[in-house]
Amino acid sequence: MKEVQILATGSYVPDRIVTNDELSTVMDTNDEWIKTRTGICERRITTGENTSSIAAKAALKALESSYIKPVDLDLIIVATATPDCYTPSTACIVQDIIGATNATCFDISAACSGFIYGLNIAYQFIKNGAKKNVLVIGAETLSKILDWNNRSTCVLFGDGAGAAILGCGEEKGLIEIHTGSDGRGANLLKCNAASVDINNKDLKEKIYGNTEDVDKSYLTMEGREIFKFAVKAMGETIDTLLNSSELTIEDIKYIVPHQANLRIIDYMIKKLKVDSKKFYTNLQYYGNTSAASIPIAMDQMNREGLLEKGDKILLVGFGGGLTWGGTIIEWTINKNK
Ligand code: UT7
């Protein structure tokens, strides 16, 4: 049976940098609070771009660094909480931009765990022989759904996109994958779908009766509850992956966590009793980019030359849903490819 491998990675972040100091000029916050509570120093914000365009830029970077042509892709999965539209899917729009005319395309909704869920779906399609070359993208323009009047959430997030092309080969690639969900925590981190907006009050009452509008479509989060969930989900996911792969933490060169908060990562470093260098972080520069955070980090590690063929890395994410997931990957890409 062929193995499922990551063949190439790519990422894209918008040029516009918004620092903590800049935020403190427009709202009641400050660099010290944001840095000490989260580790975030700055984030990227899209100006005039939507999720599909930044997703396509990340995809093109992955394609450029592989031997795969857009027409060779037979499946495109976009994980996003901030799609361009209800329909069509962001994946279909990306397909058109990059010219992947032979691909089947769809989006998935699993918040910050979305890229891991996407890898899992890609793995199943490739392993059972249904698809050969699969593009998985995590992309977000979270700045569009933030309540910029709520300092507890808006300082935490940023925009960006990361991509990976998966295919099959002889060497071991994706070794183990685990995902889970718990809808009982659905209200802890959410963004409502857009409410119906009919300007004509009489017409609106005739259709809907005298009902209240649902909440506006902003991202809301119970930060402390999510923090507790995050450390539990990360710990359990790492344990599950190590147990089922019969590997130890020493076998793992890098852990690539969802980039939400440095304090969550510090907690995991202490719990696992590992060197802090084992955890890759870049949230200082990008904030929390939800589904994009893990693939952006993985692409940066790849491009910075941190990953050697044969290294084992562990990706782990958690987020709204509630959802969580992780994977252990044996790196199969030659350095500087
Ligand atoms: O990808 C999704 C996963 N999300 C996460 O992993 C987030 C997990 N949660 C967290 O990271 C933390 O809960 C936060 C960073 C969101 C918040 O940290 P916290 O230590 O839980 O702070 P808090 O919400 O309890 O707020 C503490 C204080 C409050 O003031 P009082 O009531 O103590 O006077 C807030 O009003 O900090 C205040 N505060 C701020 N102050 C300055 C909240 N936001 C800000 C701000 N600037 N931006």
Side-chain angles (χ1 to χ4, degrees):
M1 181 83 100
K2 295 253 191 241
E3 302 294 344
V4 180
Q5 302 177 343
I6 291 189
L7 306 177
T9 64
S11 64
Y12 171 81
V13 289
D15 292 337
R16 168 89 168 99
I17 297 172
V18 179
T19 63
N20 294 344
D21 282 334
E22 186 176 349
L23 284 181
S24 71
T25 64
V26 290
M27 66 184 72
D28 182 17
T29 189
N30 55 76
D31 180 53
E32 211 237 323
W33 189 96
I34 303 173
K35 255 199 231 152
T36 52
R37 300 278 173 144
T38 71
I40 298 165
C41 303
E42 58 192 42
R43 71 284 298 138
R44 303 297 179 102
I45 300 291
T46 45
T47 47
E49 284 183 298
N50 51 24
T51 299
S52 61
S53 57
I54 64 171
K57 285 179 181 164
L60 288 170
K61 291 228 179 104
L63 284 161
E64 275 162 22
S65 57
S66 80
Y67 56 85
I68 307 281
K69 296 185 193 61
V71 289
D72 298 329
L73 294 171
D74 45 16
L75 180 61
I76 300 176
I77 302 167
V78 175
T80 184
T82 48
D84 295 12
C85 329
Y86 285 135
T87 190
S89 68
T90 308
C92 278
I93 304 172
V94 170
Q95 173 191 33
D96 184 41
I97 299 172
I98 67 174
T101 43
N102 296 314
T104 297
C105 307
F106 58 84
D107 290 357
I108 55 169
S109 168
C112 310
S113 317
F115 183 73
I116 303 289
Y117 273 51
L119 289 183
N120 200 356
I121 298 166
Y123 177 88
Q124 308 302 336
F125 268 101
I126 296 169
K127 199 78 181 167
N128 74 19
K131 301 288 179 192
K132 262 178 80 179
N133 298 312
V134 182
L135 171 64
V136 181
I137 306 172
E140 304 284 7
T141 47
L142 292 160
S143 58
K144 291 181 186 164
I145 59 163
L146 293 175
D147 178 355
W148 288 99
N149 290 310
N150 181 354
R151 65 179 184 172
S152 321
T153 49
C154 72
V155 303
L156 306 173
F157 297 93
D159 299 342
I165 299 172
L166 280 80
C168 54
E170 299 300 333
E171 300 154 318
K172 202 91 179 136
L174 268 65
I175 295 174
E176 203 63 56
I177 308 193
H178 168 73
T179 55
S181 315
D182 183 358
R184 288 172 299 177
N187 283 326
L188 296 177
L189 175 47
K190 69 186 290 199
C191 179
N192 287 321
S195 54
V196 176
D197 189 11
I198 302 176
N199 291 329
N200 182 329
K201 197 167 172 290
D202 289 343
L203 176 61
K204 192 175 179 182
E205 276 182 19
K206 275 184 195 138
I207 295 174
Y208 294 102
N210 208 2
T211 51
E212 291 284 309
D213 281 345
V214 288
D215 294 345
K216 287 273 176 269
S217 354
Y218 292 129
L219 188 78
T220 58
M221 179 172 73
E222 301 286 336
R224 290 197 170 186
E225 290 306 312
I226 292 290
F227 196 104
K228 281 188 250 165
F229 154 69
V231 292
K232 185 167 177 287
M234 271 176 94
E236 288 176 0
T237 302
I238 293 171
D239 285 349
T240 304
L241 290 169
L242 291 176
N243 287 337
S244 43
S245 60
E246 296 181 9
L247 294 169
T248 66
I249 197 73
E250 286 73 37
D251 296 318
I252 305 296
K253 183 156 178 204
Y254 287 107
I255 297 177
V256 188
H258 169 46
Q259 308 284 315
N261 186 325
L262 219 46
R263 284 194 294 144
I264 295 174
I265 295 169
D266 284 342
Y267 182 94
M268 291 313 302
I269 290 167
K270 287 199 189 89
K271 186 168 182 282
L272 295 168
K273 299 189 181 69
V274 294
D275 192 314
S276 60
K277 290 199 189 86
K278 204 183 262 282
F279 277 78
Y280 184 83
T281 61
N282 62 8
L283 64 86
Q284 300 86 334
Y285 311 107
Y286 306 122
N288 179 347
T289 57
S290 189
S293 90
I294 292 174
I296 292 174
M298 185 169 68
D299 180 53
Q300 289 195 332
M301 294 168 78
N302 187 18
R303 284 170 201 271
E304 284 165 15
L306 294 179
L307 302 173
E308 306 266 357
K309 221 172 157 183
D311 285 345
K312 292 187 184 64
I313 61 170
L314 190 155
L315 317 182
V316 58
F318 56 86
L322 300 168
T323 58
W324 59 91
T327 178
I328 296 177
I329 297 170
E330 186 162 318
W331 203 246
T332 46
I333 303 175
N334 284 316
K335 244 187 192 180
N336 303 323
K337 198 178 160 192

